Structure formats: C-alpha cells, structure tokens
Amino acid sequence: MVEGVSKALWIVVATLFAVAAAVAPVACGQQAPCYFVFGDSQFDNGNNNVLNTTAKVNYLPYGIDFPEGPTGRFSNGRNIPDVIAELAGFNDSIPPFAGASPGQANIGLNYASGGGGIREETSQNLGERISLRRQINNHQTAIINAAVPRRQLRRCLYTINIGSNDYLNNYFLHPPTPARRRYNPEQFAESLIRLYNIYLKQLYLLGARKVALFGIGKIGCTPRIIASLGGGVGCAEEVNQAVELFNNKLEALVADFNDRLSSVMFTYVDLFSGNAEDFAALGITVGDRSCCTVNPGEELCAQNGPVCPDRTKYIFWDNVHTTETVNTVIAVGAFDGNITSPFSIAELVD
Ligand SMILES: *[C@@H]1O[C@H](CO)[C@@H](O)[C@H](O)[C@H]1NC(C)=O
Ligand SMILES: *[C@@H]1O[C@H](CO)[C@@H](O)[C@H](O)[C@H]1NC(C)=O
Ligand SMILES: *[C@@H]1O[C@H](CO)[C@@H](O)[C@H](O)[C@H]1NC(C)=O
C-alpha cells in the first residue's frame, strides 16, 4: 500500500484497520453496492485534467507514490476516497466522472473538482471548476443514463468534502470579494449552509441516504495561509475561527437531516479538532512546510521539482494538500468512527 511508511505509523494504521474490520460485519467483499464522491481538490482524482484551470496536477511530482503516477490527485499518492473505497471492500478506486463509461454509475463515480465550492463564484480566480451544484447535476445525469435502480441508490455510500475553497478562494482572497464585503463570518457561514442544505436535499431526492459530510480542516494553518494571512509566523486564527462557524453549522445540519428524514444516516467528519501533536504521535512530525518544492507565492508543487525524501513524516504535500500518509490516517479515522459523529462510515455501509 504505502511504501516506506515508518514502522510506528504502520502499527497504528494496522491497529486502526483491525478496528475497522472488527466494526464491519463483512470484512471482505464490497460492503455497499456503489460509492459516489463529491468535493474539491482534496477528493478530485482527475476531473480537472480536462478543464482550463490552474488547479490541475496531472504532472510529477504529483502521484510520485501512486501506482499509475500522476492522475490528477492532489497528493503524492492516494487520497481519502481511495482509502475509504478500499476499506469498504471495493476492488478498485472510484474513477473520475470525466471520461467514465456510462455503466460505471452502477458501481460509483467521483465528481470532485479542484477549486469546487458551495458558492458558484468560488475559485473563479483559478479558471474552470465544477461547483457542488454542478456535481450533483452530473450525478443526476449519470444515474439516469445508467438507469441505476432506486433501491440500489439508497444503499450506496456518498462522501462530500466541500467548503474550503469558499474560504481560501473566495472569502479570504485579496482584494476582498463581493461575498466578503457583504457578509460577516457568521453570515457567510450561514449563507454556505443554506446552499448546502438545498443541494443535500436534491441529493436525497436522487436516492442518497448514507452520506458522510466532511467539515473543513484548520486551513488557517496551511503553509499557504501561514505565509500570507499568518504573516509567515503562525496559523491565521481569523481563518480558523471563520471555518469553525461553518463546521458547527454543518454538524447541526447533519443532526437536522437525521431528525427530520426517516431512513437517512448522515454523519459529520471532524477534520478540525485533530492537531499537530496527534500527527506527531504517529511519526508525522513536519507540519510547517510542504514536502514538494513550491515556488514563492504559489500553492501547488513546481513541475518536476525536488521532493522531501521521507514523505511519511510530512503533513503537507504542497502548500495546501495533505500527503498520502495523512490521507490514510483521516480515512481510517472516518471509517472506524474515531472522527465521525453520530455514525462511522463502517456503519453507513453496514
Ligand atoms: C483558458 O482560460 C484563460 C483565462 O480564463 C483564457 O484566457 C483562455 O483563452 C482559455 N483557454 C481556452 C483554450 O479556452
Ligand atoms: C473484484 O475482483 C475479483 C477478482 O478480480 C472479481 O472476481 C470480482 O467480481 C470483483 N468484484 C467486483 C464487485 O467488481
Ligand atoms: C481518536 O484517536 C486519537 C488517537 O488514538 C485519540 O487521541 C482521540 O481521542 C480519538 N478521538 C475520538 C473522538 O475518539
């Protein structure tokens, strides 16, 4: 799976895998009929390759630890959905929507797009991207074209990781965007959740019942934001505080869906509460800089630039995105329930 992962981390990951296997009644074999992935660059695995955007990573050193090399994943190796698919017993990773065969909608599709946001205008500074609204439209088209049965769609797994760009590539951009001028952080979080609620209802109407919603991590502590809004010295607390407002409302929205709709299992995945010490305990000790070479003022890896020798010690692969090692820790935590509430992903696919 991961070459050269430190022994200490392996023991921890292996233990977590063992927990996941114990929680899941069917330890081998596909535990859900299909798996659909929505989100931004953290989940994108190739949809942006065909778009006119600067948020495109189908070049080395991206994919340096991935069997097929650069694919459009924003990491050195696998991303979170890759690991979740494996834990849920899928033979292969869920392929990108772009270029997939129509029949693939029976097994699963990944609609995620680097730069994608909840708000339509988010990341327009980067070029083309697929917003959450358009990702759900793509899903509707795909399941209709493949005539995926309704009773099957209700048993599938859905994971969504969206919202970071609404802050990184909208609210906290300079000069201030219209959204920044119009809303204070509380109102902005509210505007995002109002839209998210609409899109989740659409997804529900399209058959989704088992949905894991990833909150936003401490993006104020990414090397990109430390270098800009953090003045080069530390986390931008203003950013983390704004994101926390969103996360709290998202967790409440999850509870709301579970209360109001029968037969749904929505769960919230907490990417915010973990801290550098938790990672350090796993041997992931470098949290203040990227593993790959990032040119000044940029966020993505320089093409063919040098990379750190031991990727397993780094939290950040480039100036925003995490390494395969961190993606694995997060995916295992989400699957076994360590960072989810109220359901683990293992329970969703049970
Ligand atoms: C790509 O986008 C840029 C900037 O938005 C634009 O100038 C350029 O014409 C576009 N290229 C293509 C092939 O559409
Ligand atoms: C998984 O792979 C095995 C062996 O290649 C195959 O027999 C099986 O049908 C596959 N299962 C699915 C669900 O694709
Ligand atoms: C998740 O696991 C970590 C490390 O084992 C532990 O410190 C933390 O308390 C756990 N969190 C939850 C919510 O169980």
Side-chain angles (χ1 to χ4, degrees):
M1 184 186 64
V2 190
E3 257 175 344
V5 169
S6 76
K7 213 172 215 142
L9 176 64
W10 256 123
I11 292 163
V12 171
V13 170
T15 310
L16 292 171
F17 270 95
V19 170
V23 168
V26 191
C28 57
Q30 209 173 297
Q31 294 164 41
C34 37
Y35 175 20
F36 296 103
V37 178
F38 301 81
D40 55 28
S41 54
Q42 298 173 87
F43 280 14
D44 189 353
N45 64 351
N47 289 306
N48 273 25
N49 293 348
V50 295
L51 301 185
N52 181 11
T53 171
T54 55
K56 184 162 22 188
V57 293
N58 50 353
Y59 60 85
L60 284 170
Y62 289 95
I64 188 170
D65 298 312
F66 196 76
E68 288 119 72
T71 56
R73 284 170 175 77
F74 289 70
S75 180
N76 57 308
R78 302 191 305 163
N79 62 20
I80 294 168
D82 290 328
V83 181
I84 291 176
E86 181 178 308
L87 292 171
F90 285 79
N91 273 358
D92 293 309
S93 291
I94 302 302
F97 171 73
S101 69
Q104 185 61 40
N106 284 290
I107 298 162
L109 285 166
N110 182 331
Y111 307 98
S113 166
I118 296 170
R119 292 178 66 92
E120 284 303 300
E121 81 277 12
T122 286
S123 303
Q124 62 192 3
N125 52 313
L126 305 176
E128 294 177 340
R129 69 277 168 209
I130 309 168
S131 64
L132 180 59
R133 182 179 68 79
R134 289 179 51 222
Q135 291 180 33
I136 289 172
N137 288 345
N138 286 341
H139 177 59
Q140 176 165 22
T141 305
I143 59 176
I144 289 174
N145 285 347
V148 185
R150 183 121 200 123
R151 66 178 177 283
Q152 177 174 323
L153 290 166
R154 295 165 70 96
R155 292 168 49 228
C156 299
L157 172 64
Y158 303 75
T159 59
I160 312 178
N161 190 344
I162 200 97
S164 298
N165 286 305
D166 295 290
Y167 289 91
L168 289 171
N169 287 306
N170 189 340
Y171 198 74
F172 285 109
L173 277 184
H174 283 281
T177 60
R180 176 65 180 267
R181 291 196 301 265
R182 178 164 169 203
Y183 298 119
N184 67 30
E186 169 72 24
Q187 293 163 332
F188 185 64
E190 191 59 42
S191 85
L192 295 178
I193 294 296
R194 214 167 15 218
L195 283 171
Y196 210 164
N197 181 34
I198 293 169
Y199 302 143
L200 288 172
K201 279 186 183 147
Q202 282 171 4
L203 196 59
Y204 171 83
L205 292 175
L206 295 172
R209 296 293 180 272
K210 294 150 181 253
V211 187
L213 302 165
F214 285 66
I216 304 177
K218 287 198 179 98
I219 52 177
C221 301
T222 56
R224 165 181 162 184
I225 294 297
I226 290 175
S228 52
L229 300 173
V233 289
C235 301
E237 291 309 332
E238 177 196 15
V239 176
N240 287 342
Q241 283 162 14
V243 159
E244 211 172 3
L245 296 171
F246 171 87
N247 285 341
N248 292 339
K249 291 177 195 294
L250 181 60
E251 197 171 3
L253 184 64
V254 164
D256 204 40
F257 267 88
N258 286 326
D259 287 347
R260 273 186 302 128
L261 299 170
S262 62
S263 73
V264 305
M265 289 175 89
F266 277 40
T267 198
Y268 171 75
V269 186
D270 178 5
L271 300 185
F272 192 90
S273 302
N275 54 42
E277 289 81 67
D278 296 336
F279 284 116
L282 301 176
I284 310 166
T285 50
V286 187
D288 61 347
R289 55 187 185 274
S290 65
C291 166
C292 74
T293 304
V294 179
N295 289 324
E298 304 264 305
E299 139 179 355
L300 301 176
C301 304
Q303 278 203 35
N304 297 310
V307 300
C308 65
D310 191 351
R311 264 91 70 188
T312 65
K313 288 194 164 47
Y314 281 67
I315 293 178
F316 293 104
W317 165 242
D318 60 21
N319 269 358
V320 170
H321 304 101
T322 45
T323 55
E324 172 178 79
T325 300
V326 165
N327 294 341
T328 302
V329 171
I330 291 170
V332 170
F335 198 83
D336 74 11
N338 181 269
I339 56 169
T340 58
S341 142
F343 305 112
S344 67
I345 291 179
E347 287 173 296
L348 298 191
V349 296
D350 180 353

